[in-house]
Amino acid sequence: MSQDIFELPSPEGNSIVGNLADLGQDPLGFLTKCAGEYGDIVPLRLGLTPACFLTKPEYIEQVLKDRILFVKSKGLRTLRTLLGEGLLSSEGDYWYRQRRLIQPVFSQKRIAGYGQIMVDYTGQMLDTWQNGETRNVHDDMMRLTLNIVMKCLFNEDVTEGTAKEVAHALDVTMHWFESKRKQGYFVLEWFPRPENIRYRNAIQKMDKSIYDIISQRRASGEEPGDLLSMLMQVKDEDDGAQMTDKQLRDEVATLMLAGHETTANTLSWTWMLLSQHPEVQNKLLQELKEVLEDRSPTVADIPKLRYTDMVIKEAMRLYPPVSTMAREASQDCEIGGYQVPAGCNIMMSQWVMHRSPRYFEEAEKFQPERWANDLEKRLTKGVYFPFGDGPRVCIGKGFALMEAVLLLATIAQKFELSIVPDYAIVPQPSITLRPEYGIKVTLKKR
């Protein structure tokens, strides 16, 4: 007979809010401690919500594979104002229809066409960099990846105003979500608190910009081959229906968040790690010289930039784009023979699994070489999942990896980035894993 998960050993919590305070104050530290001190399933209580934390790869894989039994968590549902019914937040048959419609837009052949945009925009940014200056490279990476995703989505250098509205809305959302997480998602969004008003206003301005672009595109009838025109053209195989303006808006907002924030963070952490490990930086430069000589990289070079790819994989292991994800049990079920009640919040942490000494030798060390000989394929499913897994694996995974490799190669060829001494770099586990105060670096022209 299966055992109730809440009979398993668990960390002590506050009598009223349970483990919510520990999770709110230091989520990465708390979950790492849970993984080290308890079993494969760690029962938790988050206020009135029953929860558990999974540390066994097979259990994580079971949850990520079953999109019907395990739906997106309450935490992510708080982002509906931003994401609407986009792929990241929708469920059930609606999600399945949208995923099926959008999948061809992200075929490897299609996204390869965006490689030149990525390299060109990076070159434009580098033209503004000066030898010896100090910059917040996280701000630079955020601006660059947003400009790239806007160009790929709308095939135009979107006006400074539009890009600003989007950047502002995404930034406000991150801070708003972080404050909600610390409060256990208790504060209702409609309540007229200043941060709620600021959040709604930022989304309204962003929405106006997106709807204006959709409206102009419909009126002109142009099909420039960007992501928006592809999304506008796709038809449902069953009934021939196309996406409404609202559906387009939701998917565009989702792509803007997922398509720039995660890559910007990955690259920011990569610059920090390279600055701390000159031997890795030297090996990277050696590969770039051998493969590219002095020319800019192209999509065709990516299969040969193997060490560059390993550097990105290792950066995403130590600093995953998303540090923790959660699902909610839609009905009573079993995980690994343990009873899990409906409504239970099931937590999984890339941060914890990626740094586990059970699966990685010298797990805390930055060693890109570990990814040689197809380590990713040899790892047990549920150990390394920077883009999630199962049917809801990130649809833009190919786009993001291509972008990260091309941007890293283009920038590393021209500049060495050194962290400003004694600058506090603090991981902030919000929707994504950001450096809370950015990453200050000094530039040195090569």
Side-chain angles (χ1 to χ4, degrees):
M1 185 171 165
S2 57
Q3 184 182 359
D4 188 312
I5 59 161
F6 294 103
E7 293 172 8
L8 293 168
S10 63
E12 276 186 37
N14 179 284
S15 58
I16 298 169
V17 297
N19 308 107
L20 209 49
D22 293 321
L23 195 62
Q25 283 163 14
D26 179 16
L28 302 180
F30 175 67
L31 294 177
T32 300
K33 191 166 181 279
C34 285
E37 295 180 5
Y38 299 94
D40 297 332
I41 299 185
V42 185
L44 301 170
R45 188 166 59 81
L46 308 179
L48 300 174
T49 306
C52 64
F53 175 47
L54 306 183
T55 63
K56 188 171 185 178
E58 290 80 3
Y59 298 170
I60 291 170
E61 191 59 16
Q62 178 192 338
V63 170
L64 293 180
K65 269 173 123 172
D66 195 333
R67 68 176 181 85
I68 305 297
L69 191 52
F70 303 106
V71 298
K72 289 297 178 96
S73 68
K74 182 170 70 174
L76 193 83
R77 293 202 295 271
T78 61
L79 286 176
R80 281 277 165 86
T81 303
L82 171 68
L83 302 175
E85 290 292 329
L87 279 185
L88 201 58
S89 50
S90 56
E91 296 287 354
D93 292 341
Y94 180 86
W95 171 86
Y96 181 71
R97 175 185 177 275
Q98 288 295 98
R99 178 85 184 203
R100 202 181 57 190
L101 274 177
I102 296 169
Q103 191 74 55
V105 173
F106 282 90
S107 68
Q108 205 60 40
K109 188 178 173 188
R110 280 250 169 99
I111 64 169
Y114 298 118
Q116 196 57 50
I117 292 171
M118 295 169 180
V119 174
D120 289 347
Y121 270 58
T122 307
Q124 289 171 27
M125 178 194 74
L126 293 178
D127 288 342
T128 69
W129 282 14
Q130 303 294 321
N131 187 43
E133 74 174 322
T134 297
R135 302 188 67 95
N136 187 331
V137 76
H138 182 245
D139 288 348
D140 285 334
M141 295 301 101
M142 291 286 276
R143 202 174 302 112
L144 173 60
T145 56
L146 180 61
N147 287 340
I148 288 169
V149 83
M150 300 282 272
K151 176 72 172 175
C152 294
L153 271 168
F154 306 122
N155 192 41
E156 57 184 50
D157 294 312
V158 180
T159 63
E160 184 68 17
T162 304
K164 265 187 174 169
E165 297 295 3
V166 173
H168 177 65
L170 296 178
D171 204 46
V172 168
T173 298
M174 288 293 160
H175 292 296
W176 179 84
F177 186 83
E178 177 64 4
S179 70
K180 294 293 143 294
R181 183 186 64 73
K182 285 179 176 172
Q183 296 160 24
Y185 310 109
F186 286 151
V187 179
L188 298 171
E189 186 191 318
W190 51 261
F191 194 76
R193 289 170 65 100
E195 68 266 28
N196 289 343
I197 294 166
R198 195 160 51 243
Y199 172 55
R200 287 200 302 272
N201 287 346
I203 303 296
Q204 279 173 7
K205 286 180 182 175
M206 185 190 79
D207 282 354
K208 185 181 183 309
S209 297
I210 295 173
Y211 279 123
D212 282 351
I213 292 170
I214 293 170
S215 172
Q216 287 161 15
R217 185 64 62 82
R218 286 209 192 276
S220 71
E222 290 174 6
E223 293 179 6
D226 56 17
L227 288 171
L228 177 61
S229 65
M230 289 183 210
L231 291 172
M232 291 173 86
Q233 287 167 38
V234 290
K235 290 184 181 178
D236 191 297
E237 288 174 15
D238 299 331
D239 59 12
Q242 292 178 283
M243 285 196 224
T244 63
D245 284 6
K246 173 70 168 70
Q247 287 170 322
L248 286 168
R249 175 260 171 229
D250 290 350
E251 299 305 348
V252 162
T254 299
L255 290 174
M256 286 192 302
L257 171 68
H260 103 97
E261 174 85 26
T262 52
T263 308
N265 290 337
T266 293
L267 286 165
S268 299
W269 295 120
T270 302
W271 297 123
M272 179 195 78
L273 290 163
L274 286 172
S275 175
Q276 293 166 343
H277 298 82
E279 73 289 353
V280 174
Q281 191 164 182
N282 290 337
K283 283 185 80 169
L284 173 67
L285 286 175
Q286 193 181 333
E287 177 176 86
L288 296 179
K289 259 193 174 59
E290 285 170 8
V291 175
L292 304 173
E293 293 173 348
D294 288 324
R295 62 180 176 80
S296 295
T298 67
V299 172
D301 295 312
I302 290 177
K304 289 172 272 184
L305 294 171
R306 295 177 65 188
Y307 192 72
T308 312
D309 181 61
M310 287 187 233
V311 168
I312 293 294
K313 279 195 172 75
E314 181 71 345
M316 287 196 299
R317 182 183 73 80
L318 286 169
Y319 293 90
V322 175
S323 60
T324 306
M325 60 199 303
R327 295 286 189 268
E328 187 178 293
S330 60
Q331 59 191 65
D332 292 347
C333 60
E334 281 191 7
I335 297 176
Y338 295 99
Q339 295 167 24
V340 175
C344 185
N345 191 54
I346 299 157
M347 300 178 69
M348 302 154 282
S349 173
Q350 291 95 322
W351 176 276
V352 170
M353 297 305 292
H354 291 189
R355 289 167 171 257
S356 171
R358 282 194 225 171
Y359 309 107
F360 297 100
E361 283 183 33
E362 297 188 287
E364 297 289 327
K365 285 195 174 176
F366 179 56
Q367 295 177 338
E369 294 78 9
R370 74 172 80 238
W371 296 99
N373 306 316
D374 277 335
L375 173 65
E376 194 169 358
K377 287 179 183 167
R378 290 185 281 115
L379 285 170
T380 305
K381 288 270 193 181
V383 170
Y384 181 75
F385 50 110
F387 294 96
D389 207 351
R392 298 198 69 145
V393 67
C394 175
I395 200 168
K397 178 181 177 180
F399 182 99
L401 287 172
M402 177 178 82
E403 183 178 25
V405 168
L406 288 175
L407 269 57
L408 175 58
T410 306
I411 298 167
Q413 272 186 316
K414 302 281 174 68
F415 283 92
E416 180 183 336
L417 285 66
S418 303
I419 299 170
V420 171
D422 302 322
Y423 185 77
I425 301 173
V426 181
Q428 181 190 44
S430 182
I431 306 166
T432 60
L433 186 66
R434 282 180 159 196
E436 188 168 358
Y437 311 111
I439 296 176
K440 285 261 180 87
V441 297
T442 304
L443 304 179
K444 183 182 175 187
K445 205 158 191 172
R446 296 199 194 276

